[in-house]
Amino acid sequence: MNIAITAHDAKKELMTQFCIAYCGILSRHKLFATGTTGKLVSDATGLEINCFLSGAQGGDQQIGALIACNEIDMLLIFGDPLSAKENEPNPYGLLRLCDVHNVPVATNIATAEALIHSLERGDLDWRDIVNPK
């Protein structure tokens, strides 16, 4: 599966710790990330991550384009709803795209863990349900 990850500044450490904890599962998939988040996670885990621009420079839009082209199968986006800053991208565009294209999305660690465990069990082959062969 193609998994995209991004996190606001205040949640980058949480995303990094999450990826460290689930490195074994994530290593079996193709990862994409906004620039700063991707570099932090890659440096901490050794995971191979296709990094885009930072979110503020258009990385979120690059991930959005992949979602719109059905090239992302899951999105993990840890935002900080209590102290969002002006220079940080608004996640609602990505969330809308995920809804339109039936992409599972986690906006917090509890949901991210549920998705990762479902992925490990093989429960997320939803494209076969939506588009039967």
Side-chain angles (χ1 to χ4, degrees):
M1 292 190 106
N2 292 338
I3 302 172
I5 61 174
T6 185
H8 283 168
D9 289 347
K11 298 293 183 169
K12 287 187 190 316
E13 179 62 25
L14 179 63
M15 179 64 79
T16 301
Q17 294 302 318
F18 175 84
C19 291
I20 290 169
Y22 293 103
C23 186
I25 297 168
L26 293 170
S27 68
R28 298 189 295 264
H29 301 279
K30 191 169 184 181
L31 304 176
F32 299 84
T34 50
T36 308
T37 301
K39 181 173 181 359
L40 289 170
V41 170
S42 181
D43 288 349
T45 63
L47 289 168
E48 182 178 327
I49 300 175
N50 298 293
C51 292
F52 295 117
L53 297 171
S54 71
Q57 293 178 335
D60 284 351
Q61 285 80 9
Q62 289 175 298
I63 288 174
L66 290 180
I67 293 169
C69 293
N70 291 315
E71 294 179 23
I72 294 295
D73 302 304
M74 179 189 301
L75 174 65
L76 306 176
I77 178 171
F78 291 177
D80 185 12
L82 299 179
S83 61
K85 299 175 186 169
E86 283 184 31
N87 65 328
E88 291 181 321
N90 186 326
Y92 295 113
L94 289 176
L95 298 177
R96 185 184 69 77
L97 283 170
C98 287
D99 285 345
V100 169
H101 295 280
N102 292 312
V103 173
V105 60
T107 60
N108 59 61
I109 195 160
T111 308
E113 286 183 329
L115 285 179
I116 288 295
H117 289 298
S118 294
L119 178 63
E120 184 177 31
R121 288 191 309 268
D123 295 343
L124 288 179
D125 294 329
W126 59 272
R127 290 192 193 266
D128 293 336
I129 296 168
V130 175
N131 302 311
K133 294 176 183 173

